[in-house]
Amino acid sequence: MTKSRQQKRSQLQERRIAADVGGRTQAGSGSSWQAKSDVRVQGALRCEAKYTEKGKYNLKLSDLLKIRDEAIRGGLEVPVMQVEFLVGHGASMKY
């Protein structure tokens, strides 16, 4: 099975975040009870990565509570959520 463009884009975002914070990507994030969140610096932070090709992102309280709870269970790690907006010709803005 080949990876979709969205899956490749998501994995690229996760690898960039991991490199930026000195952490590692979580293999199977979202599909395994053991590997919650997308990027982790053990004992320091957990990051959930989202991206959109639209000019808006619908942030839900449940998304924030999820990453917060995972960070607490991970040993009082700092919860982080990065939303990346893809804006024409491959450029992006991260928040």
Side-chain angles (χ1 to χ4, degrees), residues 41-55:
V41 177
Q42 192 165 0
L45 72 84
R46 284 188 186 242
C47 181
E48 189 70 22
K50 302 292 184 188
Y51 83 94
T52 181
E53 295 177 357
K54 300 175 182 172

Side-chain angles (χ1 to χ4, degrees), residues 28 30-36 46 73:
S31 65
S32 168
W33 65 270
Q34 295 175 321
K36 296 295 183 180
R46 284 188 186 242
R73 283 192 296 273

Side-chain angles (χ1 to χ4, degrees), residues 5-77:
R5 187 174 68 89
Q6 290 87 1
Q7 287 173 315
K8 289 178 184 177
R9 181 70 188 125
S10 180
Q11 287 180 342
L12 175 63
Q13 179 190 19
E14 292 170 15
R15 286 194 304 268
R16 284 183 185 157
I17 294 169
D20 287 347
V21 300
R24 62 184 208 95
T25 60
Q26 297 277 82
S29 63
S31 65
S32 168
W33 65 270
Q34 295 175 321
K36 296 295 183 180
S37 67
D38 296 317
V39 176
R40 184 176 187 197
V41 177
Q42 192 165 0
L45 72 84
R46 284 188 186 242
C47 181
E48 189 70 22
K50 302 292 184 188
Y51 83 94
T52 181
E53 295 177 357
K54 300 175 182 172
K56 60 184 177 180
Y57 178 78
N58 185 18
L59 178 63
K60 297 177 287 240
L61 177 59
S62 61
D63 294 335
L64 295 176
L65 294 176
K66 175 183 172 279
I67 189 67
R68 181 203 64 184
D69 292 346
E70 290 168 4
I72 290 170
R73 283 192 296 273
L76 297 178
E77 297 167 334

